Amino acid sequence: MFGRNLLLALSLFSSVLSAQVSSVDFATQVYPIFNDAGCMGCHGSNGGFTIGSTAAVAYDNLVNSSSLGTCQKTYVVPGNPSGSFLYEKISGAPSCGDRMPRNNQNYFDSHQDQLETIRVWIEEGALSEPAPLAANGVERALPEKFELEQNFPNPFNPSTTISYHLPRSAHVILTIYDVLGTEVITLVNGVQPGGTYQVRWTGIDRHGDPVGTGIYFYGLQAGSEMRMRKMILLQ
């Protein structure tokens, strides 16, 4: 009975994922990450690769450039994060050269929401702006209400995904807490347009260190709205 219920839950979860439509805007969600991570200090207008001083220039350099870089790898392969040199360099497994940003190589370990934003942007086709239509031709619809879903899987080891829905644009803060109410890590802190979002937590704190087995809470604040849920990490 338990196995059948588990399979049913997994099936329902897969259906939810396939029905969700997320969109990432390069100018307002991806490009600012390069400033936050300190990439522009070396790549704003000089260095081995120039990102560019505006979002439009950066997009053209990353997606439309014919250059393969010093490692002869394509910076962004639309629809293929693992085949994109940009994602390879910031996710921690570069096959050529150093992890980026070079002056703060663990930056994306403690900013997983930004890493996930770049991954989703590439996976969705590396568009310059969100597509107005979903793949099936149906116009995108905003969620009807603010909602924080139960993380999946739960219990989890080593990572779990947190999904939430915004009916309108809001300043969003998504934070993990321990049982004493102490902040473990803030996964999201910024303005997001209305839509459905997924954030993965890999069980690390804000210093990039793994946390121990136990009960944790995750809280989502969007404007005046606040939700909290419980999850369990098993090592």
Side-chain angles (χ1 to χ4, degrees):
M1 179 62 116
F2 174 78
R4 186 168 61 184
N5 289 340
L6 178 60
L7 288 174
L8 178 60
L10 290 172
S11 175
L12 290 173
F13 181 74
S14 298
S15 298
V16 169
L17 287 184
S18 63
Q20 289 174 338
V21 177
S22 59
S23 60
V24 178
D25 180 74
F26 180 82
T28 61
Q29 293 176 265
V30 176
Y31 182 66
I33 294 175
F34 300 131
N35 277 307
D36 294 345
C39 301
M40 304 301 284
C42 294
H43 298 285
S45 59
N46 54 53
F49 171 73
T50 301
I51 294 175
S53 57
T54 68
V57 172
Y59 181 83
D60 193 55
N61 287 341
L62 285 168
V63 179
N64 298 326
S65 174
S66 59
S67 171
L68 297 180
T70 57
C71 296
Q72 292 300 298
K73 291 176 176 286
T74 304
Y75 293 118
V76 173
V77 180
N80 184 9
S82 61
S84 300
F85 195 40
L86 168 65
Y87 187 74
E88 182 182 316
K89 291 285 277 186
I90 64 177
S91 62
S95 58
C96 174
D98 298 325
R99 186 182 185 185
M100 294 296 175
R102 185 174 296 166
N103 61 349
N104 187 6
Q105 294 183 344
N106 294 323
Y107 176 85
F108 285 101
D109 289 339
S110 55
H111 294 78
Q112 296 179 28
D113 60 314
Q114 295 184 342
L115 181 65
E116 180 69 1
T117 294
I118 293 176
R119 186 196 68 78
V120 172
W121 170 66
I122 296 174
E123 189 172 75
E124 291 183 343
L127 303 176
S128 59
E129 59 186 32
L133 298 178
N136 59 3
V138 177
E139 187 175 353
R140 296 178 186 274
L142 291 176
E144 294 183 358
K145 61 180 181 179
F146 172 70
E147 185 177 359
L148 176 63
E149 295 187 14
Q150 184 64 53
N151 64 299
F152 186 91
N154 185 48
F156 68 95
N157 178 22
S159 66
T160 189
T161 297
I162 299 169
S163 300
Y164 56 93
H165 309 277
L166 305 176
R168 66 187 66 86
S169 177
H171 187 105
V172 175
I173 302 175
L174 177 62
T175 305
I176 309 295
Y177 302 93
D178 63 19
V179 291
L180 299 178
T182 303
E183 177 185 333
V184 175
I185 188 172
T186 295
L187 300 176
V188 178
N189 186 358
V191 176
Q192 293 182 325
T196 294
Y197 295 87
Q198 294 181 335
V199 178
R200 188 167 63 98
W201 182 45
T202 57
I204 64 171
D205 62 19
R206 63 180 180 274
H207 304 295
D209 299 321
V211 299
T213 293
I215 296 173
Y216 294 86
F217 297 88
Y218 57 102
L220 178 69
Q221 181 176 353
S224 60
E225 300 273 8
M226 178 70 185
R227 298 288 187 278
M228 185 82 70
R229 285 185 177 269
K230 181 175 69 174
M231 59 184 169
I232 300 174
L233 170 60
L234 296 178
Q235 298 285 14

